[in-house]
Amino acid sequence: PAALKTNVGALKPGGLIIADTGEFTKRNLEKAKYEVSPIEDGSLAKWQVLAFDNSALTVEAVKPFGLGNKDALRCKNMWTLGLALWMFDRSREPIVDWLKAKFA
């Protein structure tokens, strides 16, 4: 919720918001000073909103690697990057090359 509040103003109408519903807890909404979830109150109507529990999906995706919950949740950005590459039919190769160089 805090990242949404900080960055939503930079989006053009019709832009895409990928929202992790797993993070829209009462506590996080309060910290971001939302009285109600913007995902549910219609305030994001001028954008396309793809809302799902990215946290749970990421944890499930990395289960075969034996990561604990904390480490699994650190993979959310990479999981979401993969989703974006798939959604927009982009090659993973440049990202994979960059990751190999970065973490060689």
Side-chain angles (χ1 to χ4, degrees), residues 7-101:
N7 296 297
V8 73
L11 283 176
K12 295 177 183 176
L16 176 64
I17 296 171
I18 299 175
D20 180 3
T21 59
E23 291 295 326
F24 280 72
T25 62
K26 182 178 180 183
R27 179 175 178 239
N28 287 345
L29 289 167
E30 288 172 356
K31 285 168 58 176
K33 299 189 178 18
Y34 281 116
E35 291 183 25
V36 295
S37 173
I39 294 172
E40 298 169 0
D41 72 358
S43 63
L44 302 176
K46 64 181 175 180
W47 298 285
Q48 298 177 64
V49 179
L50 180 58
F52 56 91
D53 194 340
N54 183 5
S55 298
L57 291 170
T58 301
V59 168
E60 186 64 31
V62 299
K63 240 183 208 176
F65 303 104
L67 299 177
N69 199 55
K70 184 177 179 181
D71 288 328
L73 289 173
R74 289 183 178 149
C75 300
K76 285 193 306 185
N77 287 342
M78 286 295 139
W79 191 96
T80 307
L81 175 60
L83 173 68
L85 292 171
W86 173 79
M87 287 174 60
F88 298 106
D89 196 28
R90 305 299 297 216
S91 172
R92 293 180 314 193
E93 193 170 311
I95 302 297
V96 171
D97 291 346
W98 178 81
L99 288 168
K100 284 180 180 176

